[in-house]
Amino acid sequence: MLFPFVMLSTAQLVGAAGAGLVGGLLSGFFGVGGNFVLVPLLGLALGLNQHQAQGLTLAALLPPLGAPAVWQYRRAGVPLLLPVVGCAILGFLPAIPLGSVVANVLPASALRVIFAVLLAWTAVRTWRTPREVTDRPHLTEPPKGYVWISVLAGFTAGFASGLLGIGGAIVLIPLLTRQLGLSQKQAQLTSLAMLLPPIALPGVWVYAQSEGGIPWGSVLPVAIGFVAGAFIGAKLNRVVTPGRLTRGFAVLLGVSAVVLVVSAVRGS
């Protein structure tokens, strides 16, 4: 049954909403989907296995939950380059079901370790980003050659999202800043804007079929917590300097790498 509805206990409701709140805070502040936190927290709060938690996380992010954060970024004067968003979505859509299929067919422990190494390497490079890069101005129009770079960045993000359930923005944002020259906050806004349409739907469908459904009764409390957290996180983002934000994102990448290694060891 693809659409099971399971009643939650009070403790489970609180746990699901709390997981959504933490994921939303990270989403609003760093521009990421918060998946790498949502997946383990939902697994603990609701007793879900890895694949079930990944499917639920993707399902919970189907509505435009990041809209409050996008509004806060735009209110702060960060330009949104819609052509870049559109091209990234074009790359994301075919990649997320592909990653989801691989995740449900192959044991992902080795892939998680490899991806963790890549994240750790990216974290070091991000931490060491020169100040002239972290303080670069926002772009007002897409740079030359943005189409294929944006599509490839979106494809990479979609595959990682479907395969590992950690959220494609973890890889998308470094690609947008380094390859396209977007500022850190502009790359984060681009990532959040990508989540406004239900681009994770193909991945949700694959997980629902493989796992016998998604626990849809858990989606609403996660969504409510996520919206509140995203709004608060985006407001906090407005008062942080670009340099500190970039280093904070590097720390987030490093934590994500550790989480992937731990999940790989526990799953092996």
Side-chain angles (χ1 to χ4, degrees):
M1 183 179 180
L2 297 183
F3 305 98
F5 190 91
V6 179
M7 295 297 295
L8 302 181
S9 66
T10 301
Q12 288 176 321
L13 284 170
V14 172
L21 180 67
V22 175
L25 280 169
L26 291 174
S27 178
F29 191 75
F30 289 113
V32 300
N35 305 49
F36 85 99
V37 168
L38 276 174
V39 171
L41 288 182
L42 288 175
L44 291 173
L46 303 178
L48 304 177
N49 63 37
Q50 180 71 20
H51 288 160
Q52 290 171 335
Q54 290 183 193
L56 174 58
T57 297
L58 293 177
L61 297 180
L62 285 177
L65 304 183
V70 170
W71 178 71
Q72 286 287 345
Y73 275 76
R74 294 291 294 119
R75 189 181 177 192
V78 181
L80 177 60
L81 304 180
L82 288 177
V84 174
V85 174
C87 290
I89 289 176
L90 286 178
F92 191 98
L93 286 174
I96 188 170
L98 179 61
S100 301
V101 169
V102 174
N104 283 282
V105 172
L106 299 176
S109 296
L111 291 172
R112 290 179 190 279
V113 172
I114 294 173
F115 199 75
V117 172
L118 292 176
L119 282 182
W121 176 72
T122 304
V124 173
R125 290 192 64 192
T126 302
W127 181 273
R128 298 174 63 183
T129 300
R131 183 167 182 174
E132 59 267 22
V133 174
T134 61
D135 293 338
R136 64 160 61 112
H138 304 310
L139 297 182
T140 56
E141 60 182 26
K144 292 183 179 180
Y146 78 91
V147 173
W148 291 112
I149 295 176
S150 302
V151 170
L152 180 60
F155 185 90
T156 305
F159 188 80
S161 184
L163 178 66
L164 302 170
I166 68 166
I170 290 291
V171 295
L172 179 71
I173 291 174
L175 288 173
L176 292 179
T177 55
R178 290 192 170 272
Q179 302 302 320
L180 281 186
L182 272 64
S183 68
Q184 181 72 22
K185 291 191 177 185
Q186 198 168 28
Q188 292 175 189
L189 173 60
T190 301
S191 171
L192 289 168
M194 282 181 61
L195 294 176
L196 295 182
I199 59 175
L201 185 58
V204 172
W205 183 258
V206 172
Y207 275 101
Q209 288 187 315
S210 300
E211 297 299 318
I214 298 290
W216 295 101
S218 309
V219 170
L220 183 59
V222 174
I224 292 174
F226 191 95
V227 169
F231 182 80
I232 297 170
K235 286 187 74 69
L236 293 174
N237 175 279
R238 297 178 62 179
V239 300
V240 178
T241 61
R244 289 183 178 180
L245 188 62
T246 299
R247 291 202 167 192
F249 187 73
V251 172
L252 180 66
L253 291 172
V255 172
S256 301
V258 172
V259 170
L260 282 176
V261 171
V262 171
S263 66
V265 172
R266 292 180 63 183
S268 60

